[in-house]
Amino acid sequence: MQLEAERGFGDLKGRQERFSGFVARTFTEPLAGITEPQRQGLEDLARALGSYGELSLARRQNLVRQCRERLHQLRQAHQPTIPVGPPRLQVGASSGPGASSGPWDPDTPLSEIKGVGPKTAARLAQLGLFVLRDLVHYYPRDYLDYANLVRISGLEPGRTATIVATVRRSNAFTSPRNPNLSILELHLADITGKIRVSRFFAGKRFASPGWLKGQQAHFPPGATVAVSGLVKETPYGPAFQDPLMEVLDHSHAQVRSESIGRLIPVYGLTEGLGSERLRQALAAVLPEVRRWGDPLPEALRHTENLIPRPQALLQIHQPSNQQELQASRHRLVFDEFLLLQLGLLQRRRQLSQRPAPPLVLAAGRDDLVQRFLELLPFPLTGAQKRVLAEIRVDLARPQPMARLVQGDVGSGKTVVALASLLTAIEAGCQGALMAPTEVLAEQHYRKLAEWLPQLHVTSALLTGSTPAQRRRELLRDLVNGQLQLLVGTHALLEDPVQFDRLGLVVVDEQHRFGVRQRNRLLAKGLQPHLLTMTATPIPRTLALSLHGDLDVSQIDELPPGRQPIQTSLLKGGQRSKAYQLIRDQVAMGQRAYVVLPLVDDSEKLDLRSAIEVHRELEEEVFPDLQVGLLHGKLNSASKQAAIRAFADGLTQVLVSTTVVEVGVDVPEASVMVIEHAERFGLAQLHQLRGRVGRGAAASYCLLINDSNNVQAKQRLEVLVRSGDGFEIAEMDLRLRGPGQVLGTRQSGLPDLALASLTDDGEVLEQARQVAQSITAKDPDLALHQGLAEALADQRRRQLDLASRLN
Ligand code: ADP
Ligand code: MG
């Protein structure tokens, strides 16, 4: 029909028939898959074509136009609906690292390596990269995913992608608004759609028409091009701007570019060190990796489905595709966790080789623990019994116990701690109970004072504010063995405190009892058994990384009769609801906490403070009630007075900062109001909430959130939904990352380059199992020389780093 139109509608004569006859015949041939009306339409046209020869020129023109329109409609209706797969692109094998001009030792300074040079080495040093090994382990921060091959219709703005398409049109011009900017614009198409690609050239020299024409000539219409880049959203739909482009000889030709169609590593850079230079430096050192051994035996690698380490190191820098990248990452993450776990297991072995006092009861001895349990107004829960039994087995051994008891807030850890201490005391040793705050130490001491005299056990409290005279007496009794149980803060670890025969140390509410603290205890003579208790249920990945050297017991059951704490979110404007609830509860004989993030207004933030709210509640809101105030700036006597007044019911409302976060146990408290809740971590809020619901009464937690931040609200809703400390801790870890969750004071987080405690939990479990089975069979790693060396190496480098930091 195109031809008929070009020849002036003369009813072209073919070898056997004329145009009109040919078209009429084809229109009446049976066609599969067309509808009856469509067939009818074609037949009508065929009939009209029968008299084509007799029609005027204008009529003929009109009829041909109708035919073309009809065919176009048919084609539209019969678009193939089979999904189109991604385009193919032949990406050559990565040329990879060339031959090394080495051989170089992993400890060779980068400045001595040919292909790096002193200038680049100086820049690399700014990144903390000094020797060859450092650079090899400088992993990409991210990857540009040009291996994501898609059709044009499947392009997503904001993602990197590669397409293979045909040039339809092109245009090269200097921007009418900016004579310094020249633009090459290509219109590309594949079977799924069209896209516009722009290349920008800034500078006068690019504005010459000749030069622009030359650029345009690189991409003639009909040429097949491969394009890799970031897809941008523009007013004309998705587009590529300044992508990588290469004209292919034909659609199956291999790309020559080393970047198009691949995963491109992106590195953290520094002033004066561009990505190109960094890649060059890497290219110079990576060949060396091929000569490195694998610390894991082949058989183990095989069962654990791990690729060889040298291969992983090469591929993490130069992956050909996602699978290669994932396999490499898995192997390297595994190694980081494996070394971490092996290190922890070894430390634990060293500890257990030192003798500890076996706390075995002489036969026929009256059971102190039994009598203690009988004094309690309640029976132990199943979980408490089980954990206590685990502890008592440990205590009877001649190796020092290193055990962590985890149990959600209110699960009753204190009683377990006391029963353990009494076991030690009964065996003729002394015990120490340490708490993180004076408030908590005092509370523990008061609890003990209810029971210990009846059991004829001597005890004392030692904190930073114990008067000197009392302190002297107390230390004397400790050395001569008259004092059996000492309760206190970490001041207990200070030098003048010497025990006669220390058997067990319990550390309450501490996520981590550091190696350094343990060493201080060792310095006090005997190596005592050690029991750490925490209610901050840190997620398992963190627990394994931090406490892999501890045995862990879980009190995974709450005492019976506890009602779940009803948690709700309030806006600042709904504060009066909270006050009404407090009023109602106090009328029923209960008590309430109101917690604020700040002590006073001196800080410049626009937040309600404890002192301000205390005044407001005392004078305006609850003039008829007694309102107490507790915060960290009070001296220790005032703090204790405030807690005691609240515990004894002299005050019914306690306004406090997070001093009450851990441990405080007032069973009559049934309301917890937390102001500016969005400023606290989830785990911390869960701890605060745990201050209520400790008795049998229904309890309430009201989170007041004044921010309009959507994320803050989502975060807080986790608490409304869940009462499970472990679930909350997992969410906290995901939302805030491990550093935040543990707080800045909590050092000792492992140094992981690639592994993530948030995302690699499964690999951590895998590595832990392998570490355990290796240690069980080969405790000295004599048969795993590679691992022993890697471990020694890591330790040496940590020391190195520490001395450099110092
Ligand atoms: P946490 O594990 O948070 O330290 P506590 O040891 O302070 O918890 O115990 C919380 C409350 O539960 C305390 O008032 C304690 O007396 C009580 N309690 C502990 N064990 C039991 C039990 N087996 N049955 C009933 N109440 C218990
Ligand atoms: Mg406690």
Side-chain angles (χ1 to χ4, degrees):
M1 280 184 253
Q2 176 82 42
L3 208 55
E4 172 71 4
E6 282 171 7
R7 300 285 166 86
F9 303 97
D11 202 9
L12 282 170
K13 199 171 160 222
R15 216 176 299 157
Q16 291 177 2
E17 49 193 335
R18 286 194 168 267
F19 162 77
S20 56
F22 165 73
V23 177
R25 184 171 54 75
T26 36
F27 278 10
T28 47
E29 272 168 9
L31 265 174
I34 65 168
T35 63
E36 188 49 33
Q38 286 169 340
R39 199 188 54 77
Q40 205 72 61
L42 288 177
E43 251 170 32
D44 291 349
L45 285 171
R47 211 165 311 119
L49 283 164
S51 50
Y52 188 77
E54 290 114 58
L55 297 179
S56 68
L57 177 63
R59 284 271 177 88
R60 288 186 187 185
Q61 220 169 346
N62 195 25
L63 186 53
V64 169
R65 188 180 49 75
Q66 281 180 27
C67 287
R68 292 177 90 169
E69 273 174 15
R70 181 55 54 98
L71 286 176
H72 181 70
Q73 284 164 9
L74 270 179
R75 182 155 64 193
Q76 291 281 304
H78 289 264
Q79 279 288 345
T81 50
I82 17 167
V84 202
R88 294 232 180 79
L89 182 68
Q90 300 282 327
V91 180
S94 169
S95 64
S100 160
S101 21
W104 289 301
D105 194 56
D107 288 311
T108 310
L110 289 168
S111 56
E112 290 170 20
I113 288 170
K114 193 164 157 256
V116 179
K119 249 171 89 185
T120 304
R123 302 288 186 205
L124 291 169
Q126 288 171 5
L127 293 171
L129 312 175
F130 302 98
V131 297
L132 186 147
R133 181 213 322 269
D134 298 340
L135 186 53
V136 171
H137 292 117
Y138 192 62
Y139 302 133
R141 242 185 328 122
D142 199 358
Y143 298 83
L144 289 177
D145 189 358
Y146 293 158
N148 175 28
L149 282 169
V150 286
R151 297 284 182 188
I152 289 173
S153 64
L155 290 172
E156 297 166 46
R159 268 196 76 176
T160 48
T162 294
I163 59 167
V164 179
T166 311
V167 178
R168 280 296 178 77
R169 281 187 290 128
S170 65
N171 209 351
F173 55 96
T174 297
S175 161
R177 262 167 296 160
N178 179 354
N180 279 326
L181 184 67
S182 301
I183 301 167
L184 171 67
E185 199 176 74
L186 301 179
H187 295 256
L188 305 182
D190 68 10
I191 51 167
T192 69
K194 292 184 267 189
I195 189 167
R196 188 192 294 240
V197 173
S198 314
R199 251 189 194 178
F200 300 96
F201 304 95
K204 270 258 176 339
R205 66 209 159 100
F206 299 122
S208 106
W211 188 86
L212 276 173
K213 281 276 166 271
Q215 283 301 309
Q216 200 174 357
H218 282 144
F219 303 97
T224 304
V225 286
V227 181
S228 286
L230 176 68
V231 185
K232 296 243 173 78
E233 184 70 72
T234 73
Y236 314 101
F240 283 107
Q241 292 177 354
D242 278 326
L244 303 173
M245 278 197 279
E246 183 176 318
V247 174
L248 304 178
D249 292 342
H250 50 88
S251 59
H252 300 297
Q254 183 174 317
V255 275
R256 286 174 298 273
S257 157
E258 281 274 338
S259 304
I260 290 175
R262 298 176 196 270
L263 284 162
I264 311 300
V266 178
Y267 295 92
L269 300 172
T270 181
E271 176 95 39
L273 182 75
S275 54
E276 206 38 50
R277 259 227 260 159
L278 184 66
R279 279 189 209 133
Q280 277 167 11
L282 267 163
V285 300
L286 280 179
E288 284 302 308
V289 172
R290 294 219 184 89
R291 299 191 300 118
W292 294 5
D294 193 319
L296 287 187
E298 166 130 29
L300 182 66
R301 228 168 52 217
H302 197 75
T303 51
E304 296 298 324
N305 201 9
L306 297 163
I307 65 171
R309 183 169 169 90
Q311 187 190 339
L313 286 170
L314 288 175
Q315 286 179 2
I316 196 94
H317 290 289
Q318 301 173 330
S320 308
N321 52 47
Q322 283 289 347
Q323 286 98 305
E324 266 188 35
L325 174 59
Q326 290 321 319
S328 308
R329 195 176 172 281
H330 183 194
R331 170 63 207 257
L332 298 175
V333 167
F334 176 90
D335 284 9
E336 287 182 6
F337 281 140
L338 182 70
L339 288 187
L340 176 72
Q341 294 296 324
L342 281 173
L344 289 171
L345 289 174
Q346 289 215 328
R347 193 159 89 203
R348 169 160 166 185
R349 232 181 109 247
Q350 284 162 4
L351 272 176
S352 66
Q353 278 165 350
R354 310 195 186 205
L359 305 179
V360 194
L361 297 184
R365 198 107 169 236
D366 184 6
D367 195 348
L368 195 57
V369 173
Q370 203 47 51
R371 282 191 286 138
F372 165 66
L373 295 181
E374 280 159 18
L375 282 178
L376 292 178
F378 45 74
L380 293 189
T381 62
Q384 284 171 318
K385 281 189 197 143
R386 174 172 46 75
V387 170
L388 182 57
E390 283 167 6
I391 293 168
R392 301 219 319 156
V393 168
D394 280 1
L395 292 178
R397 294 209 179 103
Q399 296 97 34
M401 166 173 76
R403 187 171 284 277
L404 172 75
V405 173
Q406 281 196 329
D408 211 340
V409 246
S411 59
K413 291 181 294 293
T414 315
V415 172
V416 173
L418 292 184
S420 311
L421 286 164
L422 291 174
T423 307
I425 290 166
E426 178 139 60
C429 287
Q430 292 166 304
L433 174 57
M434 303 201 315
T437 63
E438 288 195 11
V439 167
L440 192 51
E442 224 262 344
Q443 178 187 283
H444 279 326
Y445 182 67
R446 264 188 300 127
K447 269 256 159 85
L448 292 178
E450 289 174 25
W451 297 309
L452 295 191
Q454 303 178 60
L455 300 168
H456 309 292
V457 171
T458 52
S459 65
L461 175 70
L462 178 65
T463 66
S465 51
T466 305
Q469 171 64 27
R470 172 89 190 105
R471 190 184 181 87
R472 264 197 303 278
E473 286 166 21
L474 201 151
L475 292 179
R476 193 194 57 222
D477 289 350
L478 207 55
V479 182
N480 67 29
Q482 279 199 7
L483 191 58
Q484 291 167 296
L485 177 53
L486 185 63
V487 182
T489 55
H490 293 172
L492 288 194
L493 292 181
E494 274 157 25
D495 285 333
V497 184
Q498 288 294 341
F499 291 82
D500 174 36
R501 191 169 150 74
L502 180 60
L504 170 64
V505 174
V506 178
V507 187
D508 192 21
E509 300 295 358
Q510 183 81 334
H511 312 317
R512 175 153 186 78
F513 188 70
V515 179
R516 204 184 308 144
Q517 286 154 312
R518 209 176 281 166
N519 288 341
R520 279 200 189 176
L521 277 174
L522 285 178
K524 291 191 185 297
L526 272 177
Q527 152 112 349
H529 297 282
L530 192 64
L531 187 62
T532 313
M533 319 204 94
T534 178
T536 304
I538 53 177
R540 189 170 160 78
T541 48
L542 269 185
L544 288 182
S545 312
L546 292 171
H547 309 299
D549 53 343
L550 300 179
D551 290 310
V552 178
S553 294
Q554 301 259 11
I555 306 188
D556 47 10
E557 181 186 350
L558 291 180
R562 295 273 169 80
Q563 300 188 31
I565 302 164
Q566 288 183 39
T567 304
S568 30
L569 279 186
L570 294 184
K571 286 259 137 209
Q574 299 171 297
R575 202 169 271 116
S576 59
K577 277 196 188 174
Y579 295 156
Q580 189 54 48
L581 179 70
I582 292 179
R583 202 170 272 295
D584 296 345
Q585 289 288 307
V586 170
M588 291 162 64
Q590 305 295 127
R591 276 159 236 167
Y593 296 96
V594 177
V595 172
L596 293 113
L598 296 183
V599 177
D600 52 42
D601 296 330
S602 64
E603 285 116 314
K604 51 186 173 295
L605 300 161
D606 184 21
L607 298 176
R608 289 159 66 77
S609 71
I611 290 175
E612 179 194 345
V613 169
H614 174 251
R615 193 201 49 76
E616 190 180 303
L617 293 188
E618 191 172 46
E619 293 174 10
E620 294 159 28
V621 185
F622 303 121
D624 49 332
L625 302 181
Q626 298 303 312
V627 183
L629 174 65
L630 175 65
H631 59 72
K633 290 188 183 171
L634 295 177
N635 66 33
S636 125
S638 315
K639 270 189 226 162
Q640 282 165 22
I643 275 277
R644 197 170 292 179
F646 186 65
D648 295 343
L650 299 177
T651 54
Q652 296 90 44
V653 180
L654 182 62
V655 178
S656 173
T657 56
T658 54
V659 193
V660 292
E661 178 181 340
V662 288
V664 172
D665 182 32
V666 177
E668 295 82 3
S670 64
V671 184
M672 168 61 69
V673 176
I674 303 173
E675 294 260 10
H676 298 295
E678 74 281 358
R679 301 185 63 88
F680 297 97
L682 288 185
Q684 198 178 10
L685 289 170
H686 180 62
Q687 280 288 325
L688 282 169
R689 174 168 65 177
R691 295 311 112 217
V692 298
R694 301 172 84 80
S699 298
Y700 306 87
C701 176
L702 304 178
L703 304 171
I704 299 183
N705 165 25
D706 256 332
S707 86
N708 287 320
N709 186 321
V710 183
Q711 272 175 334
K713 185 151 183 284
Q714 278 176 349
R715 224 160 55 85
L716 294 175
E717 270 160 5
V718 173
L719 281 171
V720 175
R721 231 183 21 246
S722 173
D724 175 350
F726 282 93
E727 188 189 337
I728 291 166
E730 288 283 349
M731 288 302 293
D732 211 22
L733 180 65
R734 284 199 174 275
L735 293 168
R736 296 193 307 155
Q740 286 276 323
V741 169
L742 289 179
T744 39
R745 282 167 302 164
Q746 293 288 341
S747 58
L749 254 189
D751 185 20
L752 301 167
L754 203 56
S756 145
L757 291 175
T758 321
D759 297 328
D760 296 319
E762 278 173 37
V763 191
L764 173 56
E765 298 282 354
Q766 181 192 11
R768 179 167 167 81
Q769 271 171 22
V770 171
Q772 279 168 337
S773 84
I774 289 177
T775 312
K777 283 183 231 137
D778 179 21
D780 296 319
L781 300 180
L783 306 174
H784 294 82
Q785 214 44 52
L787 283 177
E789 275 163 28
L791 208 56
D793 226 52
Q794 174 169 297
R795 227 172 263 145
R796 190 166 46 78
R797 266 175 298 126
Q798 278 164 357
L799 286 177
D800 246 30
L801 181 69
S803 66
R804 227 181 277 147
L805 289 176
N806 284 338

